[in-house]
Amino acid sequence: MNRLGAVTSPYLLQHAENPVDWWPWCPEAFDEARRRDVPVLISVGYAACHWCHVMAHESFEDEGVAKLVNDGFVAIKVDREERPDVDAVYMTATQAMTGQGGWPMTVFATAEGEPFFCGTYFPKVNFVKLLQSVTTAWRDQREQVVKQGAAVVEAVGGAQLVGGPTAPISVELLDRAADGLAGEHDDQNGGFGGAPKFPPHMNMLFQLRRFQRTGDQRDLEIVRHTAEQMGRGGIYDQLAGGFARYAVDATWTVPHFEKMLYDNALLLRAYTQLWRLTDDLFAKRIADETAAFLVRDLGTTSGGLASALDADTDGVEGLTYAWTPAQLIEVLGEDDGVWAADLFGVTTAGTFEHGSSVLVLARDIDAADPALTDRWREVRTKLLAARATRPQPARDDKVVASWNGLAITALAEYARLTGTPGDAAVALAEVLAERHLVDGRLRRVSRDGVVGTPAGVLEDYGCVAEAFCAVHQLTGDGRWLTLARTLLDVALERFGTGSGGFYDTADDAERLVTRPADPTDNATPSGLSAVCAALVSYAALSGEERYRAAADAALATVGPLIGGHPRFAGYAATVAEAALSGPYEIAVALDLGEDGLLAAALKHAPPGAVVVAGEPDRPGVPLLADRPLQGGATTAYVCRGFVCDRPATTVDDLMARFGD
């Protein structure tokens, strides 16, 4: 038995029975490496990672490999989702040394944590040779190994330097970003680039906001095309809803089957906003189903949303999800089985492995004859029930603060725009406020109702603060705005660089070999982008200009990235659109029972606008202070940059305030 039996991370617990003598990330592991005078093997992955499972089965469960590891190294297992700071430092080193990165990540380091050899997945034969080579080099070429580690740390530190060139947000900068995205758009299949293809949710949010500001149809068509191709593809679960992490091909047909909370939260926002701007029934259906997936399939009994569903089922990728024509007929009968095979693109040749196919939507069903739509729904229900009898993928049920923050924001927006209850968003926010906020500081993860020890990183503070701002708007409860300010004050005090930007770890956090500061938006918003989003919203909701000034300064530090590499600055560009728009501050003083003006405000608000509603002078809601009803009727107050227009009491008056 190794030392992972008492940890909370589901990923680490997957390795608790390995013959490898694993340590969790802790100072004692490095002390042990010094005592034994051996290097450290750091293995980084996550619970839903297919190739992590493969390497575990091939190597870490093997007694012979384990003996090599145990004899020559102190082995440390890291959950990248629990410790993104550790992951960021060693991923930067891996990319610097190899030109690429990924998981599982395999790092050999000194007892000081300095990496001297990095890689990703190694087949068993290669891994054994690597262990033997590193052991020999440590014994016979120690000086060179240590020097290489120091050189890598210096290079990684240089890559993370802050205080570089800046570019204030401007129309020209965002136009350049939109042109860059258009140039990389896959006009045939949607999305950007080739295989593997990841959902470009943050770029979609940016393009939708830019379309609303400029009316540029190119932005809208890119988003519509991409949204339709993804929603009809195999990357989307055509039976239960929810998106897989990415497609292995350029056509969105065959996914890497893991479903991540963050992707689905961001895609829920994108499809909700697409529907808001276009009334597209397809976008609305995907938003409805994605919202349902989040709550139904990722909800945990102790509160909060789970991180992911695994890529594998019983060690086989796609086992739960793939179908053959014969299987469809077995469940549905001959007529419906053949009809479903045509509708879902299931062929005898197959699109996946062993003649099976991943379900796609080969026909337009949302605008079809009601009889066909009813048949499709009935077929889906039967197939989903049959699929439920199959083995199911494992679930990583740890609750990650930042990812739950993304989901809260998405669910709050969805609830307000669709007029559905926002109870799920509020309940999730309560979990973060009551469990993850400890002595005024965020903790990153919890599991089974118990908060973990890893400190929150910058993305946690940004995503959760933005979520609290969203719940403040949803509920009109001033408590959430106060909590958002608490988090933003910590971010400004503990994470700031002193030159406008942010580090990803606090100044009093555990010291790693370098202090990470990555401004790029990748699978999730960067910490900097997330904090900027919260700062812009909070400033608009509270009227406190210093938070807006902090956002402007931070956005300027990523201005060159937005203009030059927009695919890796999607959320920063999304926030920049809100900042450039104002954002508008809309307060709707409600006459009891009347919400038509509020519905219009939500439907037509300019990009990134904040909207609050309630009785005049509601406590804790700055935007409703001194905002009386005009003539006893519901009244909308529209401001921009803390400068207000005349009150509006009709929808036409309100639309005039938006410049329509």
Side-chain angles (χ1 to χ4, degrees):
M1 174 67 70
N2 55 48
R3 295 165 178 80
L4 302 184
V7 301
T8 57
S9 163
Y11 174 60
L12 269 58
L13 289 171
Q14 289 173 355
H15 296 266
E17 301 297 328
N18 289 172
V20 173
D21 187 15
W22 291 113
W23 292 69
W25 180 273
C26 59
E28 292 78 9
F30 292 93
D31 291 342
E32 177 68 3
R34 292 186 195 95
R35 186 189 71 78
R36 289 178 52 199
D37 192 29
V38 295
V40 175
L41 167 63
I42 304 170
S43 177
V44 185
Y46 58 104
C49 167
H50 170 71
W51 289 104
C52 300
H53 298 326
V54 172
M55 190 166 178
H57 179 67
E58 290 178 344
S59 295
F60 301 142
E61 296 173 9
D62 183 272
E63 295 284 351
V65 175
K67 186 175 190 313
L68 287 173
V69 173
N70 296 338
D71 288 349
F73 305 87
V74 168
I76 300 176
K77 179 60 74 170
V78 178
D79 183 341
R80 77 170 183 96
E81 297 170 354
E82 189 173 70
R83 292 300 304 264
D85 51 342
V86 174
D87 177 65
V89 167
Y90 292 107
M91 182 58 71
T92 302
T94 300
Q95 291 169 332
M97 294 185 74
T98 69
Q100 60 185 12
W103 300 277
M105 179 165 50
T106 306
V107 175
F108 294 89
T110 69
E112 307 309 314
E114 297 178 336
F116 59 83
F117 186 88
C118 303
T120 52
Y121 163 75
F122 292 96
K124 177 182 172 181
V125 173
N126 298 33
F127 189 54
V128 167
K129 291 179 180 177
L130 178 59
L131 292 170
Q132 294 168 336
S133 297
V134 172
T135 299
T136 300
W138 185 258
R139 183 188 66 224
D140 300 337
Q141 300 171 286
R142 176 80 61 88
E143 184 177 351
Q144 294 94 313
V145 167
V146 172
K147 281 184 178 178
Q148 179 164 320
V152 170
V153 169
E154 184 177 358
V156 169
Q160 299 283 2
L161 284 176
V162 296
T166 62
I169 298 304
S170 65
V171 169
E172 293 76 20
L173 184 73
L174 296 176
D175 287 348
R176 193 157 70 247
D179 289 342
L181 289 175
E184 295 189 61
H185 178 239
D186 182 342
D187 293 336
Q188 180 175 351
N189 301 305
F192 303 97
K197 188 171 279 187
F198 291 81
H201 27 57
M202 289 176 276
N203 294 126
M204 294 165 72
L205 288 169
F206 159 58
Q207 289 175 303
L208 287 173
R209 284 188 175 179
R210 184 176 182 274
F211 160 71
Q212 195 178 3
R213 175 175 60 83
T214 66
D216 189 338
Q217 290 291 321
R218 179 185 63 177
D219 287 323
L220 180 61
E221 288 311 310
I222 287 174
V223 174
R224 292 183 82 152
H225 182 49
T226 298
E228 183 171 357
Q229 293 300 309
M230 287 194 305
R232 287 176 169 235
I235 193 173
Y236 184 70
D237 187 339
Q238 300 296 336
L239 300 184
F243 288 85
R245 181 166 170 250
Y246 65 87
V248 301
D249 49 49
T251 61
W252 309 107
T253 302
V254 177
H256 187 50
F257 288 90
E258 60 190 336
K259 291 180 179 177
M260 309 302 296
L261 170 57
Y262 54 75
D263 283 321
N264 285 283
L266 289 162
L267 285 164
L268 172 57
R269 287 186 74 183
Y271 279 90
T272 299
Q273 292 297 328
L274 178 59
W275 169 74
R276 176 174 83 95
L277 296 177
T278 64
D279 292 319
D280 185 278
L281 292 177
F282 171 80
K284 174 64 161 50
R285 175 172 66 81
I286 300 297
D288 291 343
E289 294 172 359
T290 304
F293 162 77
L294 285 173
V295 176
R296 181 191 66 238
D297 292 354
L298 296 183
T300 70
T301 56
S302 57
L305 298 180
S307 298
L309 297 181
D310 207 322
D312 297 355
T313 302
D314 293 346
V316 180
E317 237 194 320
L319 180 66
T320 303
Y321 302 102
W323 296 82
T324 64
Q327 288 172 328
L328 294 179
I329 292 172
E330 181 183 357
V331 173
L332 301 171
E334 184 73 26
D335 289 346
D336 277 350
V338 172
W339 184 81
D342 177 67
L343 178 66
F344 290 126
V346 178
T347 65
T348 53
T351 58
F352 186 47
E353 297 172 347
H354 312 299
S356 64
S357 295
V358 181
L359 301 189
V360 300
L361 189 61
R363 304 282 183 270
D364 182 4
I365 202 70
D366 294 279
D369 181 272
L372 287 178
T373 303
D374 289 343
R375 187 180 189 185
W376 161 71
R377 288 198 180 101
E378 184 177 346
V379 161
R380 284 210 316 173
T381 299
K382 290 180 179 178
L383 290 177
L384 187 58
R387 197 178 81 179
T389 66
R390 297 176 174 182
Q392 299 297 305
R395 189 172 77 160
D396 182 342
D397 57 358
K398 71 175 178 296
V399 174
V400 177
S402 61
W403 301 358
N404 274 256
L406 291 172
I408 291 165
T409 300
L411 289 167
E413 286 185 2
Y414 170 81
R416 294 198 90 192
L417 290 168
T418 60
T420 53
D423 298 353
V426 177
L428 292 171
E430 291 285 359
V431 168
L432 296 185
E434 298 299 325
R435 185 186 306 162
H436 283 248
L437 192 56
V438 180
D439 297 328
R441 302 291 289 272
L442 273 177
R443 300 278 183 87
R444 178 156 177 87
V445 297
S446 67
R447 186 166 183 254
D448 294 334
V450 179
V451 72
T453 57
V457 295
L458 185 65
E459 71 170 46
D460 295 308
Y461 283 85
C463 292
V464 176
E466 185 181 19
F468 287 169
C469 287
V471 175
H472 171 72
Q473 295 174 73
L474 175 68
T475 63
D477 186 342
R479 171 193 177 212
W480 300 110
L481 195 62
T482 300
L483 286 172
R485 176 177 181 154
T486 297
L487 298 182
L488 290 173
D489 285 346
V490 173
L492 293 170
E493 178 184 354
R494 295 292 188 179
F495 292 81
T497 64
S499 56
F502 289 92
Y503 291 102
D504 290 325
T505 55
D507 58 4
D508 59 351
E510 176 189 354
R511 285 205 171 273
L512 305 175
V513 292
T514 62
R515 189 178 179 189
D518 186 357
T520 58
D521 298 320
N522 289 303
T524 58
S526 71
L528 184 146
S529 297
V531 165
C532 285
L535 286 167
V536 168
S537 291
Y538 178 81
L541 290 166
S542 68
E544 297 190 55
E545 294 188 50
R546 74 181 183 92
Y547 294 93
R548 174 55 188 269
D552 290 342
L555 284 172
T557 68
V558 291
L561 186 66
I562 293 172
H565 304 281
R567 281 181 62 188
F568 303 99
Y571 209 65
T574 301
V575 179
E577 277 291 346
L580 194 66
S581 175
Y584 280 70
E585 307 132 23
I586 305 168
V588 182
L590 286 175
D591 178 24
L592 188 63
E594 202 285 333
D595 62 0
L597 205 59
L598 173 59
L602 293 169
K603 176 72 173 174
H604 300 289
V610 297
V611 183
V612 297
E615 69 276 11
D617 297 308
R618 174 178 284 189
V621 186
L623 283 186
L624 288 172
D626 301 317
R627 299 284 167 80
L629 302 177
Q630 299 290 311
T634 291
T635 304
Y637 292 83
V638 179
C639 308
R640 185 181 185 191
F642 312 111
V643 177
C644 298
D645 211 325
R646 290 177 295 104
T649 55
T650 68
V651 171
D652 287 343
D653 285 345
L654 177 64
M655 299 299 290
R657 306 296 183 268
F658 297 156
D660 288 3

